[in-house]
Amino acid sequence: MLLAIDTATRLASIALYDASGVLAEESWRSQNNHSVEVMPAIAAMLARQGVAYTDLTGVGVAQGPGSFTG
């Protein structure tokens, strides 16, 4: 189970993948509040999918020109 996070721009995105493909994905326009918005969004997505943090086997993070440094 992979958690993907992209906060490189104001369009923030998160997604869950497993061997069968994309389980869930979400994108939203952030007003430079990535550090406040990302963790609650991840927690909500995991809860909706019935996935625990301990079920994650990897985390992919996009690098980019964004201002998120947390």
Side-chain angles (χ1 to χ4, degrees):
M1 180 78 60
L2 171 69
L3 170 65
I5 304 169
D6 183 352
T7 58
T9 67
R10 286 196 174 160
L11 185 62
S13 299
I14 56 175
L16 282 176
Y17 300 86
D18 71 4
S20 64
V22 178
L23 296 177
E25 60 183 321
E26 182 177 349
S27 296
W28 67 94
R29 190 159 304 280
S30 177
Q31 297 299 316
N32 290 331
N33 292 318
H34 294 78
S35 60
V36 174
E37 299 168 350
V38 169
M39 287 308 295
I42 290 170
M45 178 179 283
L46 293 176
R48 282 192 304 272
Q49 296 301 314
V51 175
Y53 285 103
T54 56
D55 295 331
L56 299 175
T57 57
V59 178
V61 180
Q63 293 182 314
S67 62
F68 180 66
T69 57

